[in-house]
Amino acid sequence: LLESVTKDQGQTCQVKAMYALSCIIRECPKAQEAFLNQHNGPEMIMNATMSNKSSEKLKIKGCFFVSSLCEESEVAKKIFIEMGLARQLLTLLQMEEHSQSHEHMARALLTVLKGNKSVRDELVNSSELKLRAFLITRLKLIGDQEEFDEEKRYLQEISDECYGKNGLQECKPVDR
């Protein structure tokens, strides 16, 4: 399945393989261990799904899978953090035209950010990532459009995590 996700030329096959992987691995510690430690799974998933060349559906499935796995497993979360997932997600969110996958990317970003001071510091202090400006711009863009309520909630939680409850008015990160 990992090979299908990474090497198959057909978008439909890639998406179905990602869905199958997600179903097999989530809530199954033995499958998670094999995915994380024996098959180079995190790197393969990031390479296949976290690029601007990946299809919209594959990004959605990949981000859902990564978010769910990181919520279940601190080991998985640590691996994805060490691989630079937060930086990669924020960069993709900024590079691409706003789309449906951005809700899932924001959720994945929030998942690896929550409770992790090093990720927060990297995102807040990086002059090239421009997190604060991105959050302000994106929240204005989606405004009160109902179809973006989940994304808006994730972005607001990212802001709260990085800058506090009134975060976008102030530029300093909060100590947690």
Side-chain angles (χ1 to χ4, degrees), residues 8 10 36 59:
D8 204 295
L36 295 170
K59 284 180 191 171

Side-chain angles (χ1 to χ4, degrees), residues 73-134:
S73 167
E74 283 299 316
V75 172
K77 184 175 177 177
K78 183 178 183 227
I79 290 169
F80 280 107
I81 288 170
E82 288 172 355
M83 292 176 67
L85 177 65
R87 176 179 284 272
Q88 193 162 350
L89 286 167
L90 184 54
T91 301
L92 271 177
L93 283 164
Q94 292 175 356
M95 281 177 30
E96 296 181 342
E97 188 173 319
H98 188 252
S99 67
Q100 213 177 9
S101 65
H102 286 209
E103 172 188 328
H104 301 279
M105 284 190 245
R107 177 182 173 219
L109 179 59
L110 177 61
T111 301
V112 295
L113 169 66
K114 259 188 180 171
N116 191 302
K117 186 181 180 328
S118 65
V119 172
R120 186 196 76 216
D121 290 348
E122 176 187 11
L123 296 178
V124 169
N125 296 326
S126 172
S127 59
E128 68 191 51
L129 291 176
K130 298 176 176 71
L131 175 64
R132 185 174 185 275
F134 164 74

Side-chain angles (χ1 to χ4, degrees), residues 2-78:
L2 275 170
E3 199 168 295
S4 290
V5 168
T6 57
K7 295 181 182 170
D8 204 295
Q9 298 301 313
Q11 173 188 328
T12 303
C13 290
Q14 286 180 308
V15 171
K16 288 183 180 198
M18 177 60 72
Y19 179 71
L21 266 174
S22 180
C23 290
I24 290 169
I25 294 170
R26 286 182 292 127
E27 298 183 22
C28 182
K30 283 188 177 186
Q32 289 175 14
E33 185 179 331
F35 171 78
L36 295 170
N37 301 317
Q38 297 166 10
H39 299 291
N40 204 21
E43 185 176 337
M44 292 177 82
I45 294 302
M46 277 186 59
N47 289 341
T49 63
M50 305 294 168
S51 87
N52 57 356
K53 295 177 185 172
S54 303
S55 75
E56 185 79 2
K57 287 182 179 183
L58 189 60
K59 284 180 191 171
I60 290 169
K61 295 284 186 207
C63 286
F64 176 83
F65 170 56
V66 168
S67 297
S68 299
L69 184 58
C70 289
E71 287 169 351
E72 283 179 40
S73 167
E74 283 299 316
V75 172
K77 184 175 177 177
K78 183 178 183 227

